[in-house]
């Protein structure tokens, strides 16, 4: 076989050189930009209102990262549609590392099966950065109500279906599906009252407008400790270290019951790997600080952290698991 050498003309050689130099320059600028990251404030979207468990976790981590690195992280609350509005805003942002979102079980693993038309795909449109924490769900009653145990709730609910009212923040959240799982496991029927956020729900619970509320431990434990709310049960298989006297749902009448909400930070797909890894390192360093870890634990959460791969594997497993729970519950939203 004869190999023929092709000799480029001078103009062609010049064009080739210019094109190659441009590629090298572009790569150098990109590498320099990543090395200088962050060069401006980073926005951390929280897809729920201020004051809730997701907001508290996000602000604790953001503040510690700022203290350790001098980065400027601004928390941006974008509530609505069960967390979908905030996550969608993050997914459609520039993939430059300057927009993050605090995702959780509901808007990343549950909503893809719950909503007929979800504006984002959590497995394609977002890149996992780092897991932050996890927490079981807690059912509480108002301190002035007659319900002091889950047994009392089950007894009355079986005798009078669709009379006891239960609130939770948003349709399709872990709390919502935890309630439906309780109903299916025990054969009871509760009257569901979804809220946009926790503040109004707790006001209504304290005032007797609703009988029960279901939410994350971080969002409720402060008022439980102040004896403004009475804990009835947690949805983990093991009792919470912060609420050791509160029984699990398995202890209250349903075996093999578990509903855990986890929290993690993500960024738009296409964000440079070097930036993602830099963010992962900063988040893990913040979570390793004793005061942050203690704060999350004191609020009823378990510190997670780990690699981007760890978070990605969790997402891959949780999406189909919750899809089955959604299907079995019959829940669906437009």
């Amino acid at each position: 076989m004869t190999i023929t050498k092709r000799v480029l003309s001078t103009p062609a050689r010049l064009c080739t050189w210019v094109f190659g130099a441009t590629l090298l320059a572009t790569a150098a600028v990109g590498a320099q930009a990543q090395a200088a990251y962050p060069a401006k404030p980073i926005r951390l979207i929280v897809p729920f209102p201020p004051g809730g468990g997701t907001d508290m976790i996000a602000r604790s981590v953001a503040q510690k990262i700022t203290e350790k690195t001098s980065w400027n992280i601004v928390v941006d609350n974008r509530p609505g549609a069960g967390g979908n509005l905030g996550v969608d805003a993050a997914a459609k942002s520039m993939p430059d590392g300057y927009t993050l979102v605090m995702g959780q079980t509901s808007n990343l693993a549950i909503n893809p099966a719950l909503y007929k038309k979800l504006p984002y795909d959590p497995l394609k449109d977002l890149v996992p950065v780092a897991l932050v924490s996890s927490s079981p769900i807690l059912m509480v009653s108002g301190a002035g109500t007659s319900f002091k145990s889950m047994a009392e709730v089950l007894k009355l609910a079986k005798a009078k279906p669709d009379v006891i009212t239960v609130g939770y923040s948003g349709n399709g959240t872990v709390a919502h599906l935890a309630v439906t799982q309780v109903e299916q496991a025990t054969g009871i029927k509760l009257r569901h009252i979804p809220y946009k956020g926790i503040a109004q729900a707790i006001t209504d619970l304290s005032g007797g407008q609703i009988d029960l509320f279901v939410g994350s431990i971080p969002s409720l434990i402060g008022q439980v400790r102040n004896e403004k709310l009475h804990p009835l049960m947690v949805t983990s298989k093991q009792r919470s270290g912060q609420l050791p006297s509160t029984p699990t749902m398995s202890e209250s009448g349903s075996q093999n019951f578990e509903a855990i909400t986890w929290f993690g930070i993500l960024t738009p797909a296409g964000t440079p790997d070097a930036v993602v890894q830099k963010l992962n390192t900063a988040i893990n360093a913040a979570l390793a600080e004793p005061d942050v870890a203690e704060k999350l634990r004191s609020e009823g959460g378990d510190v997670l952290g780990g690699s981007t791969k760890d978070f990605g594997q969790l997402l891959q497993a949780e999406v189909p698991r919750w899809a089955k729970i959604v299907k079995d519950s019959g829940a669906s939203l437009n």
Side-chain angles (χ1 to χ4, degrees), residues 1-57:
M1 178 181 295
T2 304
I3 299 177
T4 304
K5 295 178 67 176
R6 183 182 175 196
V7 179
L8 294 176
S9 63
T10 300
R13 289 199 302 271
L14 180 60
C15 289
T16 301
W17 180 86
V18 171
F19 178 72
T22 301
L23 286 178
L24 289 173
T26 301
V29 170
Q32 184 177 7
Q34 292 176 30
Y37 174 89
K40 61 181 181 179
I42 300 170
R43 178 175 59 148
L44 174 55
I45 296 176
V46 175
F48 293 98
T54 307
D55 183 67
M56 181 279 293
I57 293 168

Side-chain angles (χ1 to χ4, degrees), residues 106-120:
S106 60
N107 46 49
L108 297 177
I110 294 174
N111 289 358
L114 185 72
Y115 285 82
K116 295 178 181 178
K117 294 182 179 180
L118 196 66
Y120 59 88

Side-chain angles (χ1 to χ4, degrees), residues 40-46 74 76 78 84-102 119-121 124-127 266-272:
K40 61 181 181 179
I42 300 170
R43 178 175 59 148
L44 174 55
I45 296 176
V46 175
V74 180
D76 180 10
R78 294 284 191 92
N84 291 348
L85 294 183
V87 177
D88 187 46
K92 290 179 170 55
S93 297
M94 286 290 293
D96 55 8
Y98 289 100
T99 299
L100 311 175
V101 63
M102 179 64 81
Y120 59 88
D121 184 332
K124 295 180 180 179
D125 298 335
L126 294 162
V127 174
L266 306 93
T267 194
T271 300

